Amino acid sequence: MASVGEEGIVNLMSARKSLKANLEKSKTLGLSFQKAGPRLEEINQRLPGLEAAVRPIRAQRDALDAVGGHINKAVVPAAAVLKVFDAIHGLEKSLSDPQSDLSGYLKVLDNLQEALQFLSDNCGMAIEWLDDIVEYLQDNNVADKRYTCSLKKALDYLKELQNEEKGRLDGGLLEAALDRLEGEFRRLLTENSIPLPMSSSPLKDEQACISPSPLPVPVIKKLQEIIGGLIANNRLEKCKSIYVDVRSSIVRASLRALNLDYLEISVSEFNNVQNIEGYIANWSKHLEFAVKHLFEAEYKLCNDVFEKLGLDVWRGCFANIAAQAGMLAFLQFGKTVTESKKDPIKLLKLLDIFASLNRLRLDFNRLFGGAACAEIQNLTRDLIKRVIEGASEIFWELLLQVELQRQAPPPPDGSVPRLVSFITDYSNRLLGNNYKPILNQVLAIERSWKHEKFQESLLHDELLNLVRAIELNLDSWSKAYNDTILSYVFLMNNHWHLYKYLKGTKIGTLLGDQWLREHQDYTEYYSTIFLRESWGKLPSHLSREGLILFSGGRATARDLVKKRLKAFNEAFDTIYKKHSNWVLLDKDLREKTCHLIIQAIVPVYRSYMQNYGPLVEQDSSASKYAKFNAQSLEKMLNSLFMPKPVRHGSFKVRQHSNKFSNGVEEQLSPSPTPTIASA
């Protein structure tokens, strides 16, 4: 039993020893595996490369034989493209400032364009060749798939980039160079464009003054060189835009010195402006100045700068400059005049506008005759049509409106109605050298539109009818006075006016000498009646009856003289007070009438006072009866009929009805001389 136990212990110890030895071996093997892990990972990472390197050995022999040629075909154009691309970026350093060396800049720009053209022509082909070799590698399993996929992605990106940004193969270098060239174009224009000096009264000389080109010839040549460089890159429109922007601003600056704010006046403001005739006179001068000086110069300069590009290009630039610089504002002002309220003075305004446009007709046809100036042409034609129609309408309505004035009340002071002085002066102005040719032309055009003939005799007849209508108005107005004596003063005033102020005038010549003499005779006739029926009755109060030899005694004679002087004084005061409110406008007529009154009264009064004045002069109440002496009486009579700053009715037109108004508009008359009513 003991031996069996010992043997078991021995076996157990042996097993223990064996397990311990195996454990040590396991630890040693574990440490070996631990050290081999990184090496295995390194080997694992190197395996794909090794696999790719040995892949051709695994590929078919014919595929391996052909791959070299495919690679060469793809690499050669790709290398050429890369070489040109590197050359393009080398040109960037050569693009100097165009201001310092424009010719050199343009030369480098040409080289850049040629290089970009090469890229544009060959880049796509190189990409296609590279794409072909990648597909060959994939199809024949010559290269690793991951490698060929990476190449494929790069080529797809190049294709997208080429399609989306054609012309930007240089990375935007050409665009930046062209932008700098445009900047130089603007700088040359701006620094060499100077507004023309304005004078306070332009165009004193009616002859056309053609301004010299406002840019030096060397500058124009540089501009042309730049334009050539920009056109080659499809930047003509931007170039034209810069040119129009700069040059139109220069013209506007030139015009600002003329103070053209009135061009912006509205129709409502126009109707309330008193010195509108001055505005129209300025408009005519300023328009002529702008056309003959400013726009003429711009027309020539556009031709000089853009002449190589053809008629349409430079005329289009000129049309835009003219429109933006203020030509449209001039035409709009003319349209505003045509839309203003209608009155006879407006006829003269419209004739002034027509005359201005007519003087500039040849200039307008030459400067604005092209298709590019269609807007200016249309506005000009519309303005001329409005002017002709408006002027003709006012002229042919004059007679009717004069007749309508017949119902208006006459002046309360017996003077010349505004209408009479207006029409006589107005008719002479229309027949004068300034307006007659224009009015004839306007009426002839208006009649031609209606397929009717116009003869100058129609103008004469219409104006003669106006004066004859005035005669009828005078007869009607004279009957409207409640005081017959005042009607005589009124008729004296107006017949004398028609005689004196029409004698030697255009309308007076048409009316004839006999007509003028008739009005002179009428003046004499009504002057005689006036004197007889008014002042001529005063001497009868100074009768000498009963005073001869003082037959009734001195006291009786004194009472009789007092009575008669009192009657004379009362009659004189009554007439003088009334006649002090009456007016004889013409100085000659006034002095002549006062002289006749003095001759009729003062000698009689002087003689009477010399003979009978002593009877009352020593009386305590002498001043009550001997109120005047001959000198004071004459002085008072000489002060009669003097014009006062009264208001006269003017000849107006109602805007809302387009008819002349029958009413009167209160307007201050600065002098008795007949003048045309202002608008």
Side-chain angles (χ1 to χ4, degrees):
M1 289 290 294
S3 58
V4 174
E6 294 177 356
E7 184 179 355
I9 293 171
V10 170
N11 290 335
L12 183 62
M13 293 296 290
S14 177
R16 178 176 176 274
K17 185 178 181 180
S18 178
L19 286 173
K20 188 175 180 181
N22 288 332
L23 182 62
E24 291 294 330
K25 290 181 180 179
S26 295
K27 289 181 179 179
T28 302
L29 184 61
L31 290 173
S32 298
F33 278 127
Q34 187 176 4
K35 294 179 179 179
R39 295 184 62 192
L40 289 173
E41 181 65 27
E42 181 181 354
I43 293 171
N44 186 53
Q45 291 178 357
R46 294 177 61 188
L47 280 176
L50 294 172
E51 182 183 5
V54 301
R55 183 169 296 278
I57 301 175
R58 297 169 56 192
Q60 297 180 5
R61 186 176 182 82
D62 57 346
L64 288 174
D65 292 340
V67 73
H70 284 284
I71 292 175
N72 288 336
K73 289 180 181 179
V75 170
V76 170
V81 168
L82 289 175
K83 184 176 181 180
V84 172
F85 187 78
D86 290 338
I88 287 175
H89 283 276
L91 291 175
E92 184 174 4
K93 298 179 180 179
S94 302
L95 282 172
S96 59
D97 185 0
Q99 180 177 350
S100 59
D101 184 11
L102 179 60
S103 298
Y105 191 90
L106 291 172
K107 186 175 181 180
V108 174
L109 191 63
D110 288 340
N111 294 335
L112 177 60
Q113 289 174 288
E114 291 176 3
L116 286 175
Q117 186 63 46
F118 179 86
L119 281 183
S120 178
D121 295 340
N122 293 277
C123 187
M125 183 177 67
I127 292 174
E128 289 179 2
W129 278 105
L130 290 172
D131 196 41
D132 288 343
I133 188 59
V134 171
E135 289 182 1
Y136 182 87
L137 294 174
Q138 285 180 328
D139 294 342
N140 293 275
N141 203 26
V142 174
D144 182 67
K145 288 184 178 180
R146 285 173 293 182
Y147 176 70
T148 54
C149 286
S150 177
L151 286 177
K152 194 71 175 178
K153 289 181 181 180
L155 290 174
D156 289 340
Y157 175 74
L158 286 176
K159 290 177 184 178
E160 292 176 2
L161 190 65
Q162 185 188 23
N163 292 331
E164 292 178 2
E165 299 190 21
K166 288 183 178 180
R168 294 184 60 86
L169 298 172
D170 59 343
L173 178 60
L174 179 61
E175 290 294 315
L178 293 173
D179 290 343
R180 188 181 298 177
L181 196 58
E182 286 179 355
E184 175 63 8
F185 187 80
R186 182 181 290 275
R187 186 196 68 80
L188 283 171
L189 278 174
T190 303
E191 294 185 0
N192 292 279
S193 297
I194 303 174
L196 289 182
M198 300 290 109
S199 61
S200 59
S201 56
L203 285 181
K204 291 182 179 179
D205 184 2
E206 294 183 359
Q207 298 298 320
C209 177
I210 307 301
S211 299
S213 176
L215 289 182
V217 173
V219 173
I220 292 178
K221 290 183 177 180
K222 286 185 177 181
L223 293 175
Q224 291 175 334
E225 290 178 7
I226 293 176
I227 290 172
L230 294 175
I231 288 177
N233 292 276
N234 298 319
R235 291 209 178 192
L236 176 59
E237 292 304 317
K238 184 64 180 298
C239 178
K240 289 161 56 179
S241 175
I242 294 173
Y243 183 87
V244 170
D245 180 54
V246 174
R247 292 305 304 177
S248 60
S249 67
I250 293 299
V251 178
R252 286 196 301 270
S254 297
L255 289 173
R256 274 197 296 270
L258 297 177
N259 190 19
L260 301 180
D261 293 343
Y262 66 88
L263 294 180
E264 305 298 327
I265 192 171
S266 65
V267 174
S268 59
E269 292 172 328
F270 188 100
N271 290 332
N272 295 324
V273 174
Q274 295 299 317
N275 60 339
I276 202 64
E277 288 182 288
Y279 282 168
I280 294 177
N282 285 336
W283 178 85
S284 298
K285 290 188 297 183
H286 294 159
L287 176 62
E288 188 168 351
F289 184 85
V291 170
K292 289 185 177 293
H293 287 254
L294 301 180
F295 293 128
E296 177 68 42
E298 293 305 316
Y299 183 85
K300 183 178 184 302
L301 183 61
C302 282
N303 183 22
D304 291 342
V305 174
F306 296 100
E307 61 178 342
K308 297 179 181 179
L309 305 183
L311 198 65
D312 292 342
V313 172
W314 70 262
R315 281 199 168 179
C317 286
F318 171 73
N320 290 331
I321 290 171
Q324 294 181 24
M327 190 62 210
L328 300 182
F330 277 107
L331 297 175
Q332 179 58 46
F333 176 83
K335 183 181 178 183
T336 300
V337 177
T338 65
E339 294 174 344
S340 63
K341 60 185 178 183
K342 187 173 62 173
D343 61 37
I345 295 302
K346 181 179 175 180
L347 170 58
L348 303 182
K349 301 171 190 172
L350 295 177
L351 294 179
D352 288 335
I353 291 176
F354 182 85
S356 296
L357 295 174
N358 196 43
R359 283 194 302 271
L360 296 172
R361 179 168 52 87
L362 296 179
D363 298 283
F364 266 66
N365 290 340
R366 179 169 53 83
L367 297 179
F368 311 116
C373 293
E375 182 180 12
I376 293 177
Q377 293 170 28
N378 292 335
L379 290 175
T380 304
R381 281 194 291 266
D382 178 65
L383 175 57
I384 292 174
K385 184 174 183 293
R386 287 170 172 268
V387 167
I388 292 174
E389 290 178 343
S392 300
E393 182 181 5
I394 293 174
F395 178 77
W396 296 119
E397 285 187 1
L398 284 173
L399 179 60
L400 173 62
Q401 306 311 321
V402 169
E403 292 172 347
L404 290 175
Q405 293 287 316
R406 201 166 293 164
Q407 305 303 318
D413 58 5
S415 61
V416 178
R418 191 63 170 165
L419 177 62
V420 175
S421 59
F422 177 87
I423 288 297
T424 53
D425 189 37
Y426 189 73
S427 299
N428 278 315
R429 290 187 71 177
L430 291 180
L431 287 173
N433 295 332
N434 290 335
Y435 286 113
K436 182 180 177 181
I438 306 169
L439 182 56
N440 276 331
Q441 188 175 356
V442 166
L443 296 178
I445 295 173
E446 187 261 346
R447 283 298 177 97
S448 70
W449 289 346
K450 298 179 179 179
H451 306 289
E452 300 175 0
K453 291 184 178 180
F454 174 78
Q455 296 178 344
E456 189 173 315
S457 59
L458 291 175
L459 172 60
H460 293 167
D461 292 344
E462 195 68 16
L463 293 177
L464 289 176
N465 289 336
L466 283 180
V467 178
R468 295 186 180 112
I470 287 294
E471 291 181 287
L472 295 176
N473 284 16
L474 291 178
D475 182 64
S476 176
W477 287 332
S478 68
K479 295 175 182 177
Y481 286 106
N482 294 324
D483 191 325
T484 305
I485 305 301
L486 180 56
S487 71
Y488 298 150
V489 173
F490 173 78
L491 291 170
M492 285 166 54
N493 261 316
N494 287 276
H495 284 295
W496 179 256
H497 175 85
L498 293 177
Y499 163 71
K500 182 174 181 180
Y501 291 97
L502 295 186
K503 183 180 180 181
T505 65
K506 301 284 186 179
I507 191 68
T509 301
L510 287 178
L511 291 165
D513 291 338
Q514 182 178 352
W515 185 92
L516 293 170
R517 282 195 298 270
E518 287 177 358
H519 284 280
Q520 184 182 25
D521 293 341
Y522 279 130
T523 304
E524 296 294 334
Y525 172 74
Y526 288 113
S527 177
T528 301
I529 297 179
F530 163 76
L531 186 62
R532 185 185 68 203
E533 297 297 325
S534 58
W535 296 99
K537 293 182 178 181
L538 282 181
S540 63
H541 292 289
L542 300 177
S543 172
R544 300 180 182 226
E545 183 179 353
L547 297 176
I548 305 300
L549 300 177
F550 305 117
S551 56
R554 190 175 184 85
T556 301
R558 183 184 300 111
D559 291 341
L560 193 57
V561 169
K562 286 183 178 181
K563 180 179 180 182
R564 290 176 179 174
L565 283 176
K566 181 180 180 182
F568 174 86
N569 292 338
E570 290 176 351
F572 180 89
D573 288 342
T574 300
I575 297 176
Y576 184 83
K577 181 179 180 180
K578 181 188 294 185
H579 289 202
S580 295
N581 296 318
W582 298 350
V583 172
L584 291 174
L585 283 177
D586 182 75
K587 180 180 179 182
D588 292 339
L589 178 62
R590 183 170 62 251
E591 290 179 352
K592 180 181 178 182
T593 302
C594 289
H595 178 72
L596 291 175
I597 295 173
I598 290 170
Q599 288 298 105
I601 297 175
V602 174
V604 175
Y605 184 80
R606 181 186 292 112
S607 175
Y608 193 83
M609 292 302 293
Q610 286 175 350
N611 291 318
Y612 307 111
L615 290 174
V616 297
E617 287 173 353
Q618 297 179 354
D619 192 278
S620 59
S621 59
S623 60
K624 182 178 178 181
Y625 302 101
K627 291 177 61 176
F628 312 105
N629 56 42
Q631 290 77 15
S632 63
L633 201 61
E634 184 173 347
K635 184 177 180 181
M636 290 179 67
L637 293 174
N638 271 322
S639 68
L640 285 171
F641 311 118
M642 295 294 291
K644 301 175 181 62
V646 295
R647 295 177 180 268
H648 294 281
S650 65
F651 194 27
K652 288 286 182 179
V653 179
R654 290 178 184 161
Q655 176 70 10
H656 67 274
S657 64
N658 287 331
K659 295 295 182 182
F660 290 89
S661 171
N662 285 332
V664 292
E665 179 177 324
E666 295 301 316
Q667 182 174 345
L668 186 63
S669 175
S671 70
T673 304
T675 57
I676 294 225
S678 61

